[in-house]
């Protein structure tokens, strides 16, 4: 799999996380700037995801997308929005990261 595929997937994850952060900042779409930024980020995220899907199976791409996105937005929620993570949430996030690592290291569906 090419570096471009991974770059597209990581870019898609970054834009999705930025869009979700702006969704929180939009205050239920009542603030125009964050709402428009969210829409642009989500559109860009799905475009980049579509590029990654040229070479990566959709199930694998989505597992990586959702796993890393959940972890990233949880960290942003903790730092930026002062949202607390209790011990079960931390364990769950560690398991998500472990799942992404297992997929990438051991799955034959991801060709390196």
């Amino acid at each position: 799999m090419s570096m471009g595929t991974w770059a597209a997937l990581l870019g898609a994850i970054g834009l999705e996380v930025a869009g979700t952060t702006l969704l929180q900042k939009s205050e239920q779409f009542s603030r125009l700037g964050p709402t428009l930024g969210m829409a642009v980020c989500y559109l860009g995220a799905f475009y980049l995801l579509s590029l990654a899907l040229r070479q990566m199976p959709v199930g694998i791409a989505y597992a990586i997308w959702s796993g890393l996105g959940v972890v990233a937005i949880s960290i942003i929620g903790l730092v930026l929005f002062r949202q607390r993570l209790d011990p079960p949430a931390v364990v769950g996030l560690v398991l998500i990261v472990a799942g992404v690592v297992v997929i990438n290291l051991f799955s034959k569906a991801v060709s390196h």
Side-chain angles (χ1 to χ4, degrees):
M1 199 162 320
S2 74
M3 289 301 293
T5 299
W6 286 104
L9 182 58
L10 292 175
I13 293 167
L15 285 173
E16 189 270 333
V17 168
T20 301
T21 302
L22 289 168
L23 178 62
Q24 177 76 25
K25 295 264 189 196
S26 78
E27 297 177 9
Q28 294 74 45
F29 304 123
S30 65
R31 297 179 59 218
L32 183 60
T35 299
L36 292 175
M38 176 214 59
V40 168
C41 286
Y42 282 155
L43 286 171
F46 281 104
Y47 173 73
L48 290 175
L49 179 61
S50 76
L51 296 180
L53 294 178
R54 289 179 178 170
Q55 293 185 9
M56 186 177 283
V58 68
I60 299 300
Y62 199 78
I64 295 167
W65 155 296
S66 59
L68 295 181
V70 165
V71 171
I73 202 65
S74 295
I75 292 168
I76 288 171
L78 179 70
V79 172
L80 192 62
F81 301 118
R82 306 282 186 240
Q83 298 169 344
R84 294 281 177 224
L85 296 172
D86 61 7
V90 173
V91 169
L93 291 170
V94 168
L95 290 171
I96 289 169
V97 170
V100 170
V101 169
V102 167
I103 287 170
N104 281 289
L105 291 180
F106 302 110
S107 175
K108 291 187 183 355
V110 178
S111 54
H112 297 282

